[in-house]
Amino acid sequence: MARRKLLLLLKPFDVYQVTQSNAVSRFTNPRIFHYIDNRRKVHEEAINVCQKILQQKPIDWKPIFRNNLSRPIHNVDLVVTVGGDGTLLQASHFLDDSIPVLGVNSDPTQAEEVEKFSNEFDATRSTGYLCAATVKNFEQVLDGFLEGQIVPSKLSRISVSVNSKVLPTCALNDILIAHPCPAAVSRFSFKIRGDDETCSPLVNCRSSGLRISTAAGSTAAMHSAGGFPMPILSRDLQYMVREPISQGPAISRLMHGLIKSDQSMDASWFSKEGFVYFDGSHVFHTIQNGDTIEISSKAPVLQVVLPHLST
């Protein structure tokens, strides 16, 4: 029987890089420097622990830092990300629906630390909402997957087409369609279209943009903006117009809603320039006046080992 192949995708250390020499100039509170330095040490130790565990397993594996990932991932049986949700999201942009991913939260938030420094700075670490493991239970979760006791879940992703051309990136959390300047007005229209070609009324908007989230992303920025959490395995999408210029109650009720799994959103962009952001600010596609955008959940799913199904 062929040995399993695994890719270990790592959050880099330099995201925590703060040297003692510049700490005084950057931070008036030395505790902030020690906090950031401790985060780096905790993350580094988590990587070491995961690698030691993998060395003991009958599998072939190799590590790579996420910023060195530049092409689609193929020819592995599992991707393990060590970092937080951001590292797993970045991995998702290089994965199709055939390779599962298992997230290890390398630096979980410590409630007592947050409380201790609450009057000085935000000591929140990594939420790891999509991460199935920490270093404490990584071996247990990994063994469960390798032995077939833990089965990954299929999470919906967002497919985006611009002018009828499907973009190569799928969003696992959300997309944001907006003007590149946050102070500028975004002008666009949209309607919801069903597979049977039935359509909702056309909605014309002037706002700060349009956000669409998956079920997995509904607990992130969408929830912070007033949206509602969705069952994580739902195939529906949730949309919200950001800070709309009011056009009366009849239109206001259409500013937030669902795009069902058998529906898509057809949008038209009327500002001079704009971006479609995928899962944050690092991956984006430019749009311009007159472009048409189609959004749906018809993208290939992502297989994710989820935390509540692996403990």
Side-chain angles (χ1 to χ4, degrees):
M1 184 177 178
R3 286 165 63 94
R4 299 278 194 97
K5 295 182 179 180
L6 183 150
L7 181 68
L8 187 67
L9 189 66
L10 308 172
K11 178 180 180 178
F13 301 122
D14 57 11
V15 296
Y16 303 114
Q17 196 64 47
V18 180
T19 61
Q20 185 73 54
S21 60
N22 69 13
V24 175
S25 61
R26 290 186 61 185
F27 304 117
T28 57
N29 186 344
R31 294 192 186 192
I32 299 179
F33 165 76
H34 293 298
Y35 159 77
I36 295 176
D37 190 52
N38 178 257
R39 292 200 63 181
R40 179 190 60 79
K41 292 177 180 177
V42 170
H43 174 61
E44 185 174 6
E45 178 59 23
I47 291 176
N48 292 335
V49 170
C50 290
Q51 292 188 126
K52 288 178 181 177
I53 290 172
L54 291 175
Q55 288 168 357
Q56 301 169 7
K57 304 297 177 183
I59 55 177
D60 296 326
W61 63 278
K62 67 175 183 178
I64 181 174
F65 285 105
R66 70 185 189 192
N67 47 326
N68 294 328
L69 196 60
S70 60
R71 61 184 62 183
I73 299 171
H74 296 298
N75 302 319
V76 296
D77 299 297
L78 175 68
V79 173
V80 173
T81 63
V82 183
D85 286 335
T87 305
L88 193 150
L89 285 171
Q90 187 164 351
S92 75
H93 296 159
F94 296 89
L95 288 168
D96 60 18
D97 56 359
S98 66
I99 300 174
V101 59
L102 189 166
V104 179
N105 187 353
S106 64
D107 186 29
T109 293
Q110 303 171 25
E112 65 280 1
E113 182 180 52
V114 174
E115 182 177 358
K116 177 180 178 181
F117 296 119
S118 61
N119 292 326
E120 300 180 54
F121 59 91
D122 180 10
T124 303
R125 298 189 178 222
S126 174
T127 302
Y129 175 70
L130 295 173
C131 295
T134 64
V135 292
K136 294 180 180 179
N137 68 340
F138 170 57
E139 185 169 18
Q140 174 189 353
V141 175
L142 177 64
D143 287 344
F145 173 84
L146 295 175
E147 295 167 5
Q149 298 171 356
I150 293 176
V151 178
S153 300
K154 296 179 179 179
L155 300 188
S156 294
R157 291 193 281 186
I158 301 173
S159 172
V160 180
S161 298
V162 175
N163 299 329
S164 301
K165 182 179 180 180
V166 179
L167 300 185
T169 303
C170 302
L172 178 60
N173 252 14
D174 55 28
I175 65 168
L176 173 64
I177 306 172
H179 193 283
C181 174
V185 174
S186 295
R187 298 172 183 267
F188 56 93
S189 66
F190 70 86
K191 59 185 177 182
I192 309 298
R193 175 172 51 83
D195 286 347
D196 58 0
E197 297 304 321
T198 57
C199 292
S200 70
L202 182 69
V203 181
N204 296 300
C205 297
R206 290 179 298 156
S207 74
S208 59
L210 173 66
R211 186 181 302 279
I212 300 102
S213 83
T214 62
S218 65
T219 60
M222 179 64 73
H223 192 211
S224 297
F228 51 85
M230 302 164 64
I232 196 167
L233 300 182
S234 172
R235 294 281 291 167
D236 298 339
L237 304 178
Q238 184 176 171
Y239 73 87
M240 179 179 289
V241 177
R242 302 167 75 222
E243 302 169 326
I245 297 175
S246 179
Q247 296 180 328
I251 297 298
S252 294
R253 64 182 178 82
L254 300 175
M255 296 295 173
H256 178 212
L258 291 176
I259 306 169
K260 295 290 189 176
S261 60
D262 61 349
Q263 297 176 326
S264 61
M265 173 182 281
D266 294 337
S268 297
W269 184 254
F270 297 122
S271 292
K272 183 178 179 181
E273 54 186 332
F275 286 159
V276 181
Y277 296 96
F278 292 81
D279 293 329
S281 61
H282 298 296
V283 180
F284 56 86
H285 179 87
T286 59
I287 53 176
Q288 59 186 0
N289 187 14
D291 282 349
T292 59
I293 309 157
E294 181 181 352
I295 304 107
S296 74
S297 61
K298 295 178 175 62
V301 298
L302 185 71
Q303 295 190 60
V304 183
V305 179
L306 292 177
H308 65 279
L309 299 178
S310 59
T311 55

